[in-house]
Amino acid sequence: MRIINLLLIGFLALPFQTCNSQCPQNTFETFKSKFPEASGMVNMKHNNFSAFKLTKEEAINILHISESSLKYEDIAYDMDTEEKTVYKKETLPNAIFRMIKDSIIIFVYSINYNYDYEDNYIYELYIITTDKSGKFIERKIIAQDQLQNNETTHSDAVILNDSTYRVFNYDINERFAILKNGSYEVINENEPQTKITIVEYRIKDDGHIVESGYKDIRYAKEPVLFYEQYHKDSDDPMNEY
């Protein structure tokens, strides 16, 4: 019997009616204690922070993640009988670290969807801002690893300080290969395989996040999938930080 698994998932929907005013202080302090405090520059590609699992209540009430976004369906197909079985699964976010910026707290957390469909996965990294009482201000996705249907999506981030971060978006270089009939066709093997678009964001004093106006484009010789991991001597532009 051959089983094939597929993923159906609900993504984040905003806004949510949770902790829009001050959170209960003991609840927020417990939540905050799970995020080790960081300062200075943090390169997320080779950070060494331990990830602490957050509770469902913290995810909904403080991070403002909808309950539906914590659930997904893993569907198993029986190739012999053509029957399918739907498995309900739940995921919870992981606390990575926090930074203090005057009256604002910056939290970085991750969430991933662990399922059995071979060679497919989703990992996302977010930054949110709150005031010191826990009132939610804003959220931005800053990194993502996703492989589905043989297509790779990868982005990563460097937190420069408590006011600025840069997102590195890795894509297939369109001068190397183009998408044709659902798969990539190499058109010039002498071109670098990966195009990296770097965008800078600024965290304002009120906690809102905006693009700073800085943008750069780089090219790298290896496939996108290679740059999901840290390689010390590679041409990855994140190694400059």
Side-chain angles (χ1 to χ4, degrees):
M1 180 176 70
R2 185 182 174 197
I3 302 292
I4 295 180
N5 295 291
L6 300 177
L7 175 74
L8 297 178
I9 175 175
F11 287 97
L12 296 174
L14 296 174
F16 309 114
Q17 296 180 347
T18 52
C19 269
N20 291 322
S21 57
Q22 184 173 347
C23 287
Q25 197 59 32
N26 59 337
T27 300
F28 185 62
E29 288 301 319
T30 300
F31 166 83
K32 192 168 66 174
S33 69
K34 296 180 180 180
F35 291 79
E37 188 170 342
S39 61
M41 186 174 68
V42 180
N43 187 326
M44 297 307 302
K45 187 160 284 182
H46 48 85
N47 81 82
N48 56 1
F49 293 98
S50 299
F52 295 94
K53 188 70 70 176
L54 299 171
T55 67
K56 185 175 181 179
E57 291 73 20
E58 290 169 333
I60 294 172
N61 295 331
I62 303 177
L63 293 180
H64 283 209
I65 301 176
S66 68
E67 186 171 0
S68 63
S69 296
L70 300 175
K71 297 177 181 178
Y72 60 98
E73 294 180 348
D74 195 0
I75 304 177
Y77 285 94
D78 187 325
M79 298 295 291
D80 297 328
T81 65
E82 297 186 354
E83 293 181 353
K84 69 177 183 179
T85 304
V86 178
Y87 297 94
K88 301 286 186 179
K89 293 188 176 181
E90 184 175 79
T91 186
L92 291 171
N94 299 293
I96 307 298
F97 69 86
R98 61 185 163 95
M99 286 183 169
I100 308 297
K101 174 182 167 65
D102 299 324
S103 60
I104 300 302
I105 305 179
I106 301 161
F107 295 96
V108 174
Y109 74 91
S110 67
I111 189 165
N112 53 54
Y113 300 92
N114 298 318
Y115 54 101
D116 301 324
Y117 188 29
E118 186 176 2
D119 294 332
N120 284 254
Y121 55 84
I122 299 173
Y123 168 87
E124 295 170 331
L125 190 71
Y126 287 87
I127 190 168
I128 77 159
T129 53
T130 73
D131 67 11
K132 289 196 172 180
S133 71
K135 181 181 178 181
F136 179 90
I137 300 173
E138 190 160 358
R139 175 206 342 268
K140 294 285 187 183
I141 186 168
I142 62 172
Q144 181 183 63
D145 287 332
Q146 180 172 326
L147 178 61
Q148 287 189 299
N149 301 321
N150 295 319
E151 286 200 34
T152 300
T153 299
H154 174 59
S155 59
D156 223 319
V158 173
I159 314 299
L160 297 176
N161 50 52
D162 62 9
S163 299
T164 311
Y165 66 90
R166 290 180 178 177
V167 173
F168 295 71
N169 298 294
Y170 297 75
D171 297 293
I172 293 176
N173 179 11
E174 63 273 14
R175 299 200 303 253
F176 169 76
I178 59 173
L179 189 61
K180 189 174 182 179
N181 298 323
S183 60
Y184 282 94
E185 179 180 301
V186 176
I187 57 175
N188 189 343
E189 62 183 13
N190 294 320
E191 287 285 343
Q193 296 190 47
T194 298
K195 176 182 178 181
I196 304 114
T197 304
I198 307 168
V199 181
E200 185 177 271
Y201 294 83
R202 183 167 59 88
I203 303 170
K204 298 167 63 179
D205 291 341
D206 62 4
H208 290 287
I209 302 170
V210 297
E211 288 191 27
S212 72
Y214 172 90
K215 187 175 181 179
D216 192 14
I217 294 177
R218 304 284 192 89
Y219 293 90
K221 63 182 181 180
E222 303 294 344
V224 171
L225 195 61
F226 174 84
Y227 298 104
E228 287 189 6
Q229 304 297 326
Y230 169 59
H231 299 279
K232 181 180 178 181
D233 297 319
S234 76
D235 57 353
D236 189 341
M238 286 189 68
N239 288 351
E240 299 171 11
Y241 298 84

